[in-house]
Amino acid sequence: MDLRNWNFEKDGNVFLNGEWVIHWKNLDPNPINKNPSFTKIPGNWTENLTEVLPNGYATFQLKVLVNPKVKSFYLQNGVTRNAFRILVSGETIYESGKLGTDIKSEVPNISIQTVSIPQNDGGVIDLRVQVSCFHYHVCGIATPYQFGTNETINKSFFEATSRDILVFASLGTLAFFHFVLFLFWRDEKTHLYFSFVCFLASIRILSIGETRLIYNYLPVGLYEIMIRINGFTFTLLYLSFVRYVQEVYPDKKYQNIYLINYLFALLLLIGTPFPSTVYAKIQSYHLILSLFGLFTLIYPIFHGVLIKKPGAKFFLFSLVATMLLFSLDILTEFAKKGTAYLAQYGFLVFGLSQALFIADRMIQNFKNKEKLKQEKELAVAEVKFKSAFLSTMSHEIRTPMNGILGMTQMLGQSNLNEEQKEYLSLIQFSGENLLLLINDILDLTKLEAGKFELRSETVVLPKFLNDIVQLFRSKLKDNHVQIELVFENEPPTYILTDQRRFTQILSNLLGNAVKFTEQGKITVSLKAIVLNTNKCILRIQIIDTGIGIPEEKLPLLFQPFQQIHSHLSDKTTGTGLGLTITKKIIEEMLGTISIESVFGKGSIFTIELPVAIGSLEINSEIQTEKQNILNLTEWEKNLASLYPLTILIADDDPINLKVSQMFLKKLGYDALLAENGTQTLKLVETENPDFIFLDVQMPDLSGIEVTKQIRSQKNRRKQPIIIALTANVMEEEKEKCLTSGIDDFMTKPLLIQDLVFMIKKWFKG
């Protein structure tokens, strides 16, 4: 190689690439070969450039012509497998490992160093490289040797080392940064897997970088261990990368791609027990398999680009760039292309591109979270508006309903002929259905909003069920249908459950059974499945011989506003919400409901409710649905003589005030009347009433404010019983009333039996 006219200061170093003389199986410092053979450097050693030589040993020789005036030259060796010695004019200037003539005598080592070439007098440098290769499957010089001056060679070596350190530090920093991000956002596992990828890639830079930094500091003799460590770290890197991609693109349709890549990654571990020559060959072919695996990963990533997933373009770019550089490394590994190993730059491109990808995802996630936050705030505002709207509408509808149903009750107490009674019953029936619709909508709204509350109380189970069944027996108009209660085993006497909701469940189911059973029998069957001394499951079946339900209609049974019997029967009254609410209440109580039905023969509704078993009876009256509101016993008409009280009614609505006054008059009471909060306080001060039926919403002072002022009067001889009268039936309204000092709560429209019940309940003599 003629470099006599080469300006090293201006043009830089020279790669000693090209044809070198090879002396096969000759380690003589001054080999003589009358018929020289040639091999290409860098590349796998060959004889006469064509025949690939096996494992063995040889001496490479190259004469370099230089300018005699330049006295100082330097050489930087490339990757030379497995042990080598550099000589100039027969003098050894550097040695790596220990040359051998067989696998036992050879001590392999990889080292990239810059060495000084002795001064020359005639301008000819006789460069020889002795190589033995018994521990690797591809032999020869894999990457170029560089020739230059002290300044240019040292500069080149420093730049290569700096690049390796830069890539190592960059990937290490990314690994640390994303691991810290994972510690803050544990649900975002992409940060964890990406930190693993970057950490493993940074570690591998030490052994596969341009200058193979780690080998320069390891003791000679660790080559075989290092080659297996390289394989192990590559397997971990591959697995981490596939897991990272899977975390980013978790769709099940990509699972086969991920499984194939996991298998490819683990295949390298099979070669671990084999000798280093075999293991190195497996490792090299595994690189090709890995490249194919990475190629399959393009599919989910490219699909992410098509669906415009945040950062998908950065991901695709980083993978393609890494694959290109990875391909060049594979060619170098098989001595097909003599370039420096470039995988570390692929890692750097990958790391930085992925950092951009994750940053883009994070920005998008923050935007999405902000959007979700705004949507949540909007939803909360809508729920509040809905709740306020329902509360207002409930109040506004219930107020006139109080007048309609109240006057219906009063009219029912007068002397009516049969035709008038029929008209009155229709008015009452329509009013009750309207009230039922209001209650059902409010219940469904509370269930869907998650504001449904359950209250545990002691219930005397046998008496409770008997009362419910007796109530529905009283509603039957003829004897064509019988209702019976059956206990399959001995039930617990006391249970702890929400009595009101339990009543609602059974009333809805029994009501439907009565409505759609023309003749036959309705059976309420109870079986108690005892779990332990404190808990049991109540298995209740409502069995009827009614019209049944077609099989294709069963899926619609618990859907809101669905009346599946509307085309089967003329009994279409109702809201279509009863069974929907029943199912939701049962689920709130951690129970289940199921149905079996045969069209034309009847239905079986089965409920399973977990309840606690009680041990003591607490005074608790079973408050089921009231009897026919047109009936009022003679005993109740004389209630005032048995329960003498001074009663004050406060209501800003004149109709409601009139209805309440007339109800009390029927019971024998001359009530005091107040049209607002101020009048109420004055009458309390002057008349000292025993009972106050107090409207919650009044224009000047609300019922809650009036109550607080009354309760704050500590010098009062006795505090009156205050019962809230309101058209607002929301739970929060009830809680608000009870916490303000009000004793009890009544909702409009008011029934005369409600007044009787409250007077009996709170009368203290």
Side-chain angles (χ1 to χ4, degrees), residues 408-423:
T408 302
Q409 290 180 95
M410 296 307 300
L411 191 57
Q413 303 303 313
S414 61
N415 295 322
L416 302 174
N417 60 37
E418 290 302 317
E419 184 179 5
Q420 290 170 332
K421 287 181 179 179
E422 183 179 354
Y423 295 160

Side-chain angles (χ1 to χ4, degrees), residues 590-606:
L590 305 179
T592 60
I593 182 172
S594 59
I595 179 174
E596 300 172 33
S597 186
V598 178
F599 183 49
K601 294 186 177 181
S603 304
I604 302 174
F605 284 86
T606 302

Side-chain angles (χ1 to χ4, degrees), residues 703-714:
I704 290 174
E705 291 171 339
V706 169
T707 301
K708 287 180 179 179
Q709 290 195 36
I710 294 172
R711 297 305 187 209
S712 66
Q713 297 171 2
K714 302 297 182 183

Side-chain angles (χ1 to χ4, degrees), residues 461-656:
L461 184 59
K463 182 178 185 301
F464 173 82
L465 292 174
N466 273 300
D467 286 351
I468 291 286
V469 170
Q470 186 58 40
L471 174 63
F472 279 90
R473 281 181 185 146
S474 68
K475 290 186 175 184
L476 296 174
K477 296 179 179 179
D478 50 47
N479 296 323
H480 293 116
V481 179
Q482 293 181 341
I483 303 178
E484 65 176 17
L485 175 62
V486 176
F487 295 108
E488 294 187 25
N489 60 357
E490 186 69 26
T493 305
Y494 309 114
I495 61 170
L496 294 174
T497 189
D498 189 314
Q499 179 177 296
R500 177 172 167 241
R501 297 305 177 185
F502 199 6
T503 302
Q504 192 173 356
I505 292 167
L506 294 179
S507 295
N508 276 335
L509 294 176
L510 268 172
N512 280 342
V514 169
K515 186 189 299 184
F516 296 108
T517 303
E518 298 287 347
Q519 59 183 3
K521 184 168 64 173
I522 298 170
T523 303
V524 179
S525 173
L526 171 69
K527 181 178 181 181
I529 304 169
V530 179
L531 302 178
N532 53 48
T533 55
N534 298 320
K535 291 183 180 179
C536 73
I537 294 176
L538 299 182
R539 188 171 185 267
I540 303 171
Q541 289 188 310
I542 312 295
I543 307 166
D544 67 62
T545 57
I547 60 177
I549 303 169
E551 186 177 353
E552 67 274 10
K553 296 292 184 180
L554 288 176
L556 302 175
L557 193 62
F558 297 106
Q559 300 300 315
F561 301 106
Q562 294 289 337
Q563 291 181 308
I564 62 174
H565 284 297
S566 60
H567 66 297
L568 304 173
S569 168
D570 58 352
K571 299 184 179 183
T572 59
T573 57
T575 64
L577 290 173
L579 285 178
T580 305
I581 293 169
T582 299
K583 183 174 185 293
K584 287 183 178 292
I585 293 173
I586 291 170
E587 289 172 351
E588 287 287 330
M589 297 172 75
L590 305 179
T592 60
I593 182 172
S594 59
I595 179 174
E596 300 172 33
S597 186
V598 178
F599 183 49
K601 294 186 177 181
S603 304
I604 302 174
F605 284 86
T606 302
I607 309 162
E608 290 192 353
L609 277 180
V611 296
I613 299 174
S615 57
L616 294 173
E617 181 179 3
I618 298 174
N619 291 331
S620 174
E621 296 190 32
I622 304 295
Q623 186 182 358
T624 57
E625 293 181 16
K626 302 296 182 293
Q627 303 290 334
N628 191 320
I629 62 173
L630 295 180
N631 295 329
L632 187 66
T633 65
E634 291 296 325
W635 185 83
E636 287 172 342
K637 290 180 180 178
N638 299 319
L639 192 68
S641 61
L642 297 171
Y643 298 90
L645 295 167
T646 302
I647 298 176
L648 169 62
I649 302 172
D651 199 318
D652 64 309
D653 187 285
I655 295 177
N656 289 339

Side-chain angles (χ1 to χ4, degrees), residues 260 542 752 761:
I260 290 171
I542 312 295
I752 197 166
K761 178 179 178 180

Side-chain angles (χ1 to χ4, degrees), residues 54 126 163 319 325 386 569 632:
D126 186 5
R163 285 193 292 270
L319 185 62
L325 296 175
K386 181 179 179 182
S569 168
L632 187 66

